[in-house]
Amino acid sequence: MYTVDNGRVAWVDVLRILACAMVVVSHCSDGFVAEFGADREAFLTGTLVGSLMRPSVPLFVMITGVLLLPLPDGCPMASFYRRRVGRIAWPLVAWSLLLPVMAYLYFTGSGSGSANPSVDLSAYTPDVLVGRLWSWVLNFNFDTTPLWYLYMLVGLYLVMPVVGSWLKHASKKDMLTFLGLWFATLFIPYIRLLAPAMGYAGNYGNYDIFGGCDWNVFSTFHYVSGFIGYIILAYYLKCYPLDWGMKKMSAVFIPMFFVGYSITAGGYIWLQSIYPGDYAYLEIVWLFTGINVSMMTVPVFVFMQRLPSGLWRPWVGRVASLTFGVYLCHFFFVMVFYDVFDVDGMPYLLRILGMAVSVSVTAGILTWVLSANRITRILVK
């Protein structure tokens, strides 16, 4: 892991910008995916583009593993929580309140005629707004969809001191053993999908597996699955980066990426034909902790590790410093620019790319303005 003069990790800055761009493009694709059978071309375009962006969140998680692990010696758990969770708390509260208000004002004003199929215009009433302004303490809502990541990130922070202590003493073999277990869990969503077709009748109407049921969500592999695997994988690759030549890396990881992408995009299209419009099934192949998405994520990560430090420029660091704020506020602008680019005859791919650029620039400017003020800086930093 190399740094540049100001102490920033050069390739991580580039990776952070890439991951943020992928999130924006992914959300810009969602409105077209939601067309489903109403507009086949829009659905296919949105699916093919959106599927390509699935490594976005896993890459963000792996960045966390690279930058925060191992924890400094002598860092008390309570101190770590105050510092890391505290940095998340203010943005979570602020944007949980701001985004629903911004969306309400837009969809009851200039956006009241929006044709975005992912938006339920009937939900923009005073009563619904009031509910969304307090229910953030329980969970995110449609207007704050990207904030699901903050809830998950807090969960990772809570367990990181425990994991970090283990990693300090874990051998390479120990880490590989854990990663092997985690790798096996990446297939569980597909086992759960196929189990009923193989004759599994579930328990009392619940079709979970490996001990999962209505009174127990903590199945056999619960504690070795999920996003924690990406953090440990990132730490492992940080400690033991691949020493392969570029020819070998390309021969292994480029096919891996495209196989993963084929499963992700093809699987989504196939499941739509079987379970039309049913997100409970459609999201299975889009799960960030599924084998196909991990097959796309790892190649991107290891190639980014190989970026020469000479490519880094000061502007890269400045753009990277805006990505957290862009992530927090971009979803509102996705809704706005969907309507701006809702132009008859404009190719769907061009709409998505136009939206993505417009959203990124607008959210970036807002983040830059907020970060320039000492009071509002805590909302985006």
Side-chain angles (χ1 to χ4, degrees):
M1 184 171 73
Y2 53 78
T3 59
V4 289
D5 291 342
N6 61 0
R8 301 188 68 92
V9 182
W11 66 270
V12 169
D13 275 347
V14 179
L15 186 58
R16 182 183 283 119
I17 294 170
L18 175 63
C20 185
M22 294 175 83
V23 168
V24 173
V25 175
S26 175
H27 285 144
C28 289
S29 304
D30 286 346
F32 302 93
V33 174
E35 290 285 356
F36 296 122
D39 188 329
R40 182 68 173 174
E41 183 183 353
F43 167 73
L44 290 176
T45 303
T47 299
L48 293 174
V49 174
S51 296
L52 193 61
M53 304 297 124
R54 298 316 287 174
S56 55
V57 169
L59 290 173
F60 270 130
V61 175
M62 294 184 76
I63 289 171
T64 299
V66 169
L67 297 180
L68 295 188
L69 292 176
L71 272 59
D73 291 330
C75 177
M77 184 180 289
S79 175
F80 176 81
Y81 288 163
R82 281 195 301 270
R83 184 168 66 254
R84 304 309 309 186
V85 178
R87 291 182 64 182
I88 295 294
W90 283 113
L92 175 60
V93 174
W95 291 106
S96 292
L97 298 175
L98 287 171
L99 290 173
V101 172
M102 293 164 65
Y104 175 80
L105 293 175
Y106 176 70
F107 286 119
T108 56
S110 59
S112 58
S114 177
N116 191 332
S118 65
V119 176
D120 179 8
L121 292 175
S122 66
Y124 290 92
T125 65
D127 288 343
V128 173
L129 175 62
V130 170
R132 290 180 175 181
L133 290 178
W134 72 262
S135 61
W136 65 267
V137 299
L138 301 175
N139 210 342
F140 66 93
N141 54 66
F142 175 78
D143 296 333
T144 62
T145 294
L147 301 190
W148 74 267
Y149 179 77
L150 299 192
Y151 293 88
M152 183 275 292
L153 187 59
V154 168
L156 288 177
Y157 285 162
L158 293 178
V159 77
M160 280 183 72
V162 179
V163 173
S165 296
W166 170 69
L167 287 173
K168 287 180 180 179
H169 305 286
S171 66
K172 182 179 181 180
K173 185 176 180 180
D174 289 337
M175 284 186 270
L176 286 174
T177 298
F178 178 89
L179 289 172
L181 289 171
W182 175 72
F183 176 77
T185 71
L186 299 175
F187 293 91
I188 289 178
Y190 296 99
I191 298 174
R192 190 179 291 117
L193 173 66
L194 296 174
M198 296 186 294
Y200 174 58
N203 290 294
Y204 307 102
N206 184 295
Y207 286 86
D208 208 345
I209 57 177
F210 302 132
C213 57
D214 287 342
W215 59 89
N216 172 47
V217 297
F218 306 101
S219 56
T220 302
F221 298 100
H222 178 85
Y223 299 102
V224 293
S225 63
F227 288 100
I228 195 66
Y230 282 118
I231 282 197
I232 295 175
L233 176 60
Y235 179 78
Y236 175 84
L237 291 172
K238 171 184 171 182
C239 294
Y240 308 103
L242 294 177
D243 58 358
W244 297 354
M246 189 58 67
K247 183 176 181 180
K248 181 177 180 180
M249 283 187 58
S250 299
V252 172
F253 289 114
I254 291 178
M256 179 189 295
F257 179 91
F258 282 105
V259 169
Y261 173 67
S262 298
I263 296 171
T264 305
Y268 199 96
I269 295 169
W270 175 66
L271 285 173
Q272 162 63 13
S273 68
I274 301 175
Y275 306 102
D278 190 337
Y279 285 108
Y281 288 98
L282 292 174
E283 289 289 339
I284 289 175
V285 290
W286 271 14
L287 288 176
F288 297 116
T289 52
I291 182 61
N292 48 299
V293 173
S294 69
M295 291 172 67
M296 299 171 66
T297 302
V298 174
V300 176
F301 184 88
V302 296
F303 277 116
M304 288 294 104
Q305 277 189 298
R306 291 293 188 91
L307 284 179
S309 58
L311 293 177
W312 192 91
R313 296 291 185 271
W315 68 264
V316 174
R318 289 193 290 271
V319 173
S321 69
L322 300 176
T323 54
F324 182 54
V326 170
Y327 181 90
L328 292 170
C329 70
H330 79 278
F331 195 67
F332 168 74
F333 297 110
V334 169
M335 302 298 108
V336 173
F337 283 106
Y338 179 93
D339 296 332
V340 171
F341 284 88
D342 186 18
V343 179
D344 288 341
M346 180 179 289
Y348 294 118
L349 179 59
L350 186 58
R351 295 191 199 187
I352 293 171
L353 296 179
M355 286 173 60
V357 172
S358 302
V359 169
S360 299
V361 171
T362 306
I365 292 173
L366 176 59
T367 299
W368 177 76
V369 170
L370 293 174
S371 64
N373 183 280
R374 182 173 57 86
I375 296 175
T376 57
R377 187 177 301 144
I378 61 174
L379 303 182
V380 293
K381 290 289 186 180

